[in-house]
């Protein structure tokens, strides 16, 4: 048992303290525990804590905490709910330490418990801190949004309200998702979850280019820098947003294409077209016009990108359905057919007696028919590429045009990931005969995937002729991480879980081409070659 | 007498394989899943096991590994009997620990010829 003096002190502290043996038997219960839970000391000593105050759904959690403290972990600030004497749940914050006797032998564990409702900053202190925050937010010249860990907006600055065209009351208590375009919601949620789980976030501390949604539903490009901070036990996000003026983007796009020539590299982790590089000018009629045109072209490309994405889904589904159908058919047919053929062969051996000539002839026919059906199934198996349902519409395509088109489609995604898109197209290489939509989809898939894997860095595409073949390569600096996980660079393209690769491979094959992956100075390089002049194939 | 255990979930194949083994003068028993295969191996001494790969529950590769990891059964030859007929499959199954590989549908002459060497 712990030394008496200590126990006397413990009995007086304002935290509830409960000590239990390894068998969960309560051997210490202080006055605050009595106040918190309602049971007196003499009612609980010798009883099991789990049977008394812990609801059934929390038993596993309790056992886990006790295991963890025994393994040397520090357990503190665990939010949970236990039951009081009158059967009501009480929201608690638990800390757990090992209970030792005066010779420092471990004799069990001690819970130090606070009532969760009482530990929140209360009274004047809270009001004062809220007022200070409010005053600070309203006088700020930056566009700030503060949200809690569940993504509920707590406070916004006037500038943020102006950008988003909401009032303060409109935004307070709303989920962050109201100001995020629908298509980002999934990745936003994943990011927040990862952030809470691991304490790490991909975009924390960086500037990223994104889109925001105004009150009227219209979208606008913005740059976002996100920070996370803890206040007591709570996690908060603060986002500083800045509207990107379209005119600024235009200018900086030319900056983007220029720095290749000059060799000037953009700063890492900084948005290439930030406003401080190019101070904004008053909007003229011309720039307003160009803004409207840019706005609509943004939307046009986004729609096109979404269309291509749904084309991916269509191909994947067609492939999956067909391949599942064929797999089932082939399995269901193979076994009985194998049996028919096998028994014919057994009969033909005449181990169980001779056969009449006619009988032998019939069995031969059954055998042959079975065999021909098996051959047919084998053919289906080979054709399980799923590509048969997709028809190519061949035509002459300008290589530069289709690559530029892909760049436009991916511009928004590249902004989001702070990735630089570059190209190197051989001047002599003008035309290719291919299906425009699908060739576009191949580039879109490969480059889009390369961007997805990147945060900063670049995605580079090259195109050239080699005799009668066209050779296209996509190199992504962020891709370097994939093969590390799967050892072999050459099998990257066959990873079923990267549909962009699987679909691109099929589309390249349908064009009579080949696709392969290789290592290049630590990066992954995906190359596909296809005939420049493709004969129309009857598939 | 050579005792053979056939692990196969397709009744069509099971019937055929048991019939052929019977014709060859082997004593053959059949089970349709991994759990029964292991239970049977505990109760009976087999000279050879023919193992389908696609089985409900544990697949043939797993069952094979369980048996080969047991000192009591590790000397029983196990032949993969499978509908997989891809190039390189044979090497793959041998690498997994199988003693041989026969693809389905079985070719009668090849099948009997290959099993002959396991006759006791």
């Amino acid at each position: 048992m712990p030394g008496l003096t200590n126990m006397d002190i413990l009995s007086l502290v304002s935290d509830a303290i409960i000590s239990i043996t390894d068998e969960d038997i309560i051997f210490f219960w202080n006055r605050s525990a009595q106040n918190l839970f309602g049971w007196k000391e003499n009612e609980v000593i010798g009883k099991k804590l789990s049977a008394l105050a812990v609801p059934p759904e929390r038993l596993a959690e309790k056992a886990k905490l006790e295991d963890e403290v025994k393994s040397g972990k520090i357990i503190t600030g665990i939010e949970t709910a236990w039951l009081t004497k009158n059967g009501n749940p009480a929201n608690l914050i638990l800390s757990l330490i090992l209970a030792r006797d005066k010779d420092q032998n471990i004799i069990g564990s001690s819970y130090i418990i606070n009532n969760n409702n009482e530990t929140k900053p209360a009274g004047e202190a809270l009001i004062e801190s809220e007022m200070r925050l409010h005053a600070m937010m309203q006088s700020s010249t930056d566009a700030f949004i503060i949200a809690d860990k569940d993504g509920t907006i707590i406070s916004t600055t006037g500038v943020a309200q102006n950008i988003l065209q909401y009032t303060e009351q409109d935004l307070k208590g709303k989920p962050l998702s109201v100001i995020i375009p629908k298509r980002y919601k999934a990745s936003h949620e994943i990011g927040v979850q990862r952030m809470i789980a691991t304490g790490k976030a991909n975009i924390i501390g960086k500037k990223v280019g994104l889109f925001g949604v105004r009150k009227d539903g219209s979208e606008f490009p913005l740059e976002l820098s996100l920070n996370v901070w803890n206040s007591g036990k709570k996690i908060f996000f603060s986002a500083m947003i800045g509207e990107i003026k379209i005119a600024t983007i235009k200018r900086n796009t030319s900056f983007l294409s220029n720095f290749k020539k000059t060799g000037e590299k953009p700063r890492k982790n900084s948005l290439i077209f930030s406003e401080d590089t190019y101070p904004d000018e008053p909007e003229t009629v011309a720039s307003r016009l160009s803004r409207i045109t840019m706005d609509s072209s943004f939307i046009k490309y986004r729609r096109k990108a979404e269309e291509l994405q749904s084309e991916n889904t269509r191909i994947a589904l067609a492939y999956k359905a067909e391949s599942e159908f064929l797999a089932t058919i082939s399995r269901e047919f193979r076994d009985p057919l194998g049996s028919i053929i096998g028994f014919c062969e057994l009969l033909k051996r005449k181990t169980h007696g001779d056969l009449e000539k006619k009988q032998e002839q019939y069995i031969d026919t059954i055998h042959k028919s079975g065999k021909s059906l098996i051959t047919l199934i084998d053919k289906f198996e080979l054709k399980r590429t799923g590509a048969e349902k997709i028809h190519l519409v061949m035509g002459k395509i300008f290589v530069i045009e289709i690559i530029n088109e892909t760049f436009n489609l991916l511009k928004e995604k590249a902004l989001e990931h702070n990735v630089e898109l570059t190209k190197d197209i051989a001047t002599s290489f003008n035309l290719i005969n291919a299906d425009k939509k699908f060739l576009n989809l191949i580039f879109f898939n490969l480059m889009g995937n390369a961007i997805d894997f990147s945060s900063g860095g670049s995605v580079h595409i090259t195109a050239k002729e080699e005799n009668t073949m066209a050779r296209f390569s996509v190199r992504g600096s962020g891709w370097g991480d994939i093969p590390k996980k799967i050892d072999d660079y050459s099998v990257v393209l066959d990873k079923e879980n990267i549909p962009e690769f699987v679909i691109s491979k099929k589309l390249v094959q349908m064009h009579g081409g080949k696709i392969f992956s290789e290592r290049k100075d630590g990066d992954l390089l995906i190359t596909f070659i296809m005939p420049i002049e493709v004969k129309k194939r009857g598939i | 007498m050579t005792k053979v255990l056939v692990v196969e979930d397709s009744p069509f194949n099971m019937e055929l394989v048991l019939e052929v083994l019977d014709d060859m003068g082997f004593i053959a028993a059949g089970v349709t899943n991994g759990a029964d295969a292991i239970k049977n191996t505990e109760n009976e001494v087999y000279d050879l096991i023919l193992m389908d790969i696609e089985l409900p529950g544990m697949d043939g590769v797993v069952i094979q590994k369980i048996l080969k990891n047991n000192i009591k059964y590790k000397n029983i030859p196990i032949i993969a009997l499978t509908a997989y007929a891809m190039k390189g499959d044979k090497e793959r199954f041998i690498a997994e620990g199988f003693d041989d590989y026969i693809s389905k549908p079985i070719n009668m002459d090849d099948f009997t010829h290959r099993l002959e060497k396991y006759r006791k």
Side-chain angles (χ1 to χ4, degrees), chain A residues 365-381:
Chain A
T365 312
I366 298 171
H367 187 242
K368 263 188 216 146
S369 313
K371 279 273 198 194
S372 83
L373 276 177
I374 287 271
T375 321
L376 194 65
I377 290 171
D378 282 344
K379 268 191 196 158
F380 275 128
E381 286 274 283

Side-chain angles (χ1 to χ4, degrees), chain A residues 331-332 334-343 345-346 349 351-352 371 374 381, chain B residues 8-10 12-13 15-16 19-20 23-24 54 83 104-109 112:
Chain A
R331 210 177 315 118
E332 297 299 319
R334 253 177 208 285
D335 287 348
L337 267 175
S339 167
I340 292 171
I341 295 165
F343 276 104
E345 287 173 4
L346 273 185
R349 291 184 155 191
T351 31
H352 299 281
K371 279 273 198 194
I374 287 271
E381 286 274 283
Chain B
E8 165 69 82
D9 69 324
S10 151
F12 304 104
N13 279 320
E15 199 181 341
L16 176 67
E19 197 64 40
V20 181
D23 268 12
M24 290 176 75
E54 285 184 317
K104 293 189 285 191
I106 56 173
N107 173 303
M108 208 50 69
D109 292 336
T112 47

Side-chain angles (χ1 to χ4, degrees), chain A residues 148-151 176 180 183-205 208 210 224 226-228 235-237 416-417:
Chain A
D148 68 11
K149 76 172 185 2
D150 302 318
L176 271 176
I180 298 171
R183 62 186 181 286
Y184 295 141
K185 274 182 190 161
S187 52
H188 164 70
E189 274 156 25
I190 292 165
V192 169
Q193 292 307 324
R194 180 178 44 217
M195 165 56 235
I196 291 168
T198 64
K200 285 178 194 158
N202 284 354
I203 60 170
I204 297 280
V208 287
L210 282 170
L224 172 88
L226 196 60
N227 273 296
V228 65
I235 297 171
F236 292 95
F237 296 100
E416 244 177 82
H417 289 257

Side-chain angles (χ1 to χ4, degrees), chain B residues 30-79:
Chain B
V31 291
T32 57
N33 61 64
D36 287 349
I38 292 164
K39 211 190 307 168
N40 252 269
T41 323
E42 281 167 10
N43 298 333
E44 184 71 68
V45 182
Y46 289 102
D47 303 303
L48 176 66
I49 297 172
L50 295 179
M51 181 80 72
D52 185 19
I53 299 300
E54 285 184 317
L55 288 167
M58 279 183 277
D59 77 15
V61 178
V62 175
I63 306 167
Q64 180 263 135
K65 288 199 165 147
I66 292 172
L67 292 173
K68 290 274 183 187
N69 276 324
N70 188 320
I71 192 128
K72 259 165 79 188
Y73 318 122
K74 70 171 191 177
N75 291 323
I76 307 176
I78 304 179
I79 299 179

